[in-house]
Amino acid sequence: MASWVLSECGIRPLPRFYPKPTNSLVSNTIPTFKFNPKVTPPPSSLNSRKGFFSKARNWALNVATPLTAPQSPSEEHTERFDPGAPPPFNLADIRAAIPKHCWVKNPWLSMSYVVRDVAIVFGLAVVAAYFNNWLLWPLYWFAQGTMFWALFVLGHDCGHGSFSNDQRLNSVAGHLLHSSILVPYHGWRISHRTHHQNHGHVENDESWHPLPESMYKKLEKATQIFRFTLPFPMLAYPFYLWNRSPGKNGSHYHPDSDLFLPKEKNDVLTSTACWTAMAALLVCLNFVMGPIQMLKLYGVPYWIFVMWLDFVTYLHHHGHEDKLPWYRGKEWSYLRGGLTTLDRDYGWINNIHHDIGTHVIHHLFPQIPHYHLVEATEAAKPVLGKYYREPKNSGPLPLHLLGSLIKSMKQDHFVSDTGDIVYYEADPKLN
């Protein structure tokens, strides 16, 4: 089952800027003028613009039809937007549009979010344990699982360095936040860096990237079904941490994994040790409180958190009403890959999970703190133009996104083995 897994969202210094493309998507449509055929200007006026339009020969006032007649759809020349075309702007243009204060990191503000979320997590657990009522447990599971996801997002900011400019603070806070929800901080941080630096690349991306057709067809039928049949893909994250995605080797817990450089070995060992300590603490609490109580207090919320993580990260790269490109070879660039990501509206959850739905600007500039992402996105929209896809407005809960998820699972199965710009295709036999 581990081979149907993928992952998250992320991170650090950006690659070089790419040259500004010279092609433009601006339409050069020429207006069409229609004149009343009954009115014919004198021959002398045809030889002189001045005579043709002079007040003495004001024949145009007698024309019954408007000077520019409405065009039928067949006559109207429209240029269809190609999301795979190189954009008429570069990364520096987007950066220049974002206010300077959006780049400022406030460690005190970041820590205030940590204090808020941790207080809510413990408060929910105390209330649930006190009442211990089966009518309240489902509400607790959803609320606590959502808060676990919020803790992950704060640790995710630590991994990007957008939490603060102090790397020691980022590391300590990141380990405490991620270890508490059984995520190996440095192992995840490094693989997430790979995701951001290669977003939108068929082979080199790390998270939720498409399978080439040949690899897809080599998967066992059971693996294909698990990979694209809900709810199984939404439970993938722990398995991904252990074994990564199809076609990729290594584990987020092992320092000799293909994911890591030799100099990162100690970081990975530290995070794996913290993860092990948290797992041991949970085992001890099972003996103290009983396995059923621990399952209710921690186990079920943990899997709700996993579902949130897979749900959000998948829909940031899939499920748009229009097919979006994936790139290979010379067609890929950091900018073009980042522009294939999607913003999503999660209603009331936006504030709870720290506006992670504002994902396009986050992917291009992961150094921007989460509390500036909305403002930065609004400032960048005029530059992005049609390359920014406005998210559909959500109700209090993002139930509308379930339809996008289900549709994508039925249609987005693999991409062609050839071509530097490819789009998802569906396997009719699977459906």
Side-chain angles (χ1 to χ4, degrees):
M1 184 189 298
S3 63
W4 48 269
V5 178
L6 300 158
S7 117
E8 65 268 355
C9 23
I11 119 195
R12 79 194 180 201
L14 298 174
R16 67 186 187 279
F17 293 142
Y18 291 84
K20 185 175 181 180
T22 56
N23 59 320
S24 173
L25 298 178
V26 178
S27 173
N28 294 320
T29 304
I30 301 174
T32 302
F33 295 93
K34 296 184 178 180
F35 302 105
N36 191 328
K38 294 181 180 181
V39 181
T40 304
S44 61
S45 67
L46 296 176
N47 298 323
S48 170
R49 255 185 172 178
K50 182 176 179 182
F52 189 80
F53 290 103
S54 66
K55 292 182 179 179
R57 305 180 185 274
N58 193 13
W59 58 271
L61 296 177
N62 299 319
V63 178
T65 56
L67 199 61
T68 303
Q71 292 177 289
S72 66
S74 59
E75 293 175 308
E76 194 173 336
H77 175 70
T78 57
E79 186 172 341
R80 183 181 179 186
F81 172 68
D82 178 8
F89 52 83
N90 60 29
L91 207 59
D93 296 329
I94 307 173
R95 183 190 294 270
I98 299 174
K100 291 183 178 180
H101 67 266
C102 289
W103 304 86
V104 177
K105 307 163 191 176
N106 185 337
W108 293 104
L109 182 57
S110 297
M111 283 301 301
S112 72
Y113 285 107
V114 174
V115 171
R116 182 196 76 173
D117 289 0
V118 171
I120 293 174
V121 166
F122 278 99
L124 288 171
V126 169
V127 170
Y130 176 79
F131 287 101
N132 196 19
N133 187 307
W134 281 104
L135 294 177
L136 296 179
W137 280 117
L139 296 176
Y140 166 78
W141 293 333
F142 177 79
Q144 191 70 299
T146 303
M147 291 310 303
F148 281 11
W149 164 234
L151 294 181
F152 176 88
V153 176
L154 291 176
H156 157 272
D157 284 3
C158 295
H160 281 300
S162 60
F163 189 85
S164 77
N165 288 321
D166 187 336
Q167 293 307 310
R168 289 174 297 180
L169 175 60
N170 294 339
S171 182
V172 171
H175 274 96
L176 290 174
L177 291 164
H178 275 193
S179 297
S180 68
I181 49 176
L182 296 178
V183 175
Y185 173 69
H186 279 309
W188 163 84
R189 177 184 62 80
I190 295 167
S191 75
H192 199 54
R193 173 188 68 204
T194 303
H195 168 51
H196 267 255
Q197 291 180 340
N198 297 276
H199 48 207
H201 195 290
V202 175
E203 285 83 20
N204 296 340
D205 201 345
E206 178 66 25
S207 307
W208 291 121
H209 62 86
L211 296 178
E213 184 176 6
S214 58
M215 183 182 296
Y216 171 83
K217 291 182 176 179
K218 290 179 181 178
L219 296 177
E220 296 180 0
K221 192 66 177 179
T223 302
Q224 292 180 356
I225 294 173
F226 275 121
R227 185 182 175 91
F228 298 105
T229 304
L230 296 171
F232 301 112
M234 298 297 100
L235 304 173
Y237 187 64
F239 303 96
Y240 162 77
L241 290 177
W242 282 105
N243 285 308
R244 297 179 73 194
S245 308
K248 299 181 185 292
N249 299 317
S251 168
H252 288 74
Y253 300 93
H254 200 293
D256 295 327
S257 170
D258 293 344
L259 274 166
F260 312 123
L261 300 174
K263 65 180 181 180
E264 296 168 330
K265 180 176 181 177
N266 290 336
D267 286 343
V268 177
L269 287 173
T270 299
S271 295
T272 300
C274 291
W275 184 95
T276 304
M278 181 62 191
L281 175 61
L282 292 173
V283 171
C284 292
L285 290 174
N286 270 278
F287 286 104
V288 174
M289 306 178 68
I292 300 300
Q293 188 73 346
M294 278 302 295
L295 178 66
K296 292 188 292 185
L297 284 173
Y298 187 92
V300 177
Y302 170 79
W303 285 105
I304 298 295
F305 145 66
V306 168
M307 290 168 56
W308 265 118
L309 188 151
D310 285 325
F311 176 72
V312 171
T313 56
Y314 180 86
L315 287 176
H316 282 160
H317 301 275
H318 299 77
H320 193 262
E321 56 190 15
D322 298 322
K323 292 286 187 180
L324 298 181
W326 287 80
Y327 300 101
R328 292 188 180 100
K330 63 181 181 180
E331 292 293 344
W332 181 88
S333 72
Y334 181 85
L335 175 59
R336 292 175 75 181
L339 292 176
T340 65
T341 60
L342 297 166
D343 280 11
R344 299 290 189 179
D345 182 9
Y346 297 93
W348 289 348
I349 310 298
N350 285 333
N351 179 264
I352 296 173
H353 69 185
H354 309 292
D355 289 316
I356 196 62
T358 49
H359 208 63
V360 177
I361 290 300
H362 164 70
H363 246 270
L364 294 173
F365 305 107
Q367 309 93 333
I368 296 178
H370 74 264
Y371 39 84
H372 291 318
L373 282 175
V374 173
E375 181 181 0
T377 298
E378 291 299 321
K381 282 182 184 180
V383 177
L384 297 174
K386 290 185 178 180
Y387 287 87
Y388 179 81
R389 300 156 189 93
E390 197 74 39
K392 293 182 179 179
N393 292 332
S394 174
L397 296 176
L399 299 179
H400 69 292
L401 292 178
L402 293 175
S404 299
L405 176 65
I406 294 170
K407 180 180 178 182
S408 178
M409 286 291 167
K410 292 181 178 180
Q411 297 181 351
D412 300 338
H413 297 153
F414 58 83
V415 296
S416 173
D417 291 328
T418 59
D420 287 349
I421 303 178
V422 293
Y423 295 80
Y424 265 112
E425 300 177 35
D427 178 4
K429 296 181 181 179
L430 184 65
N431 291 327

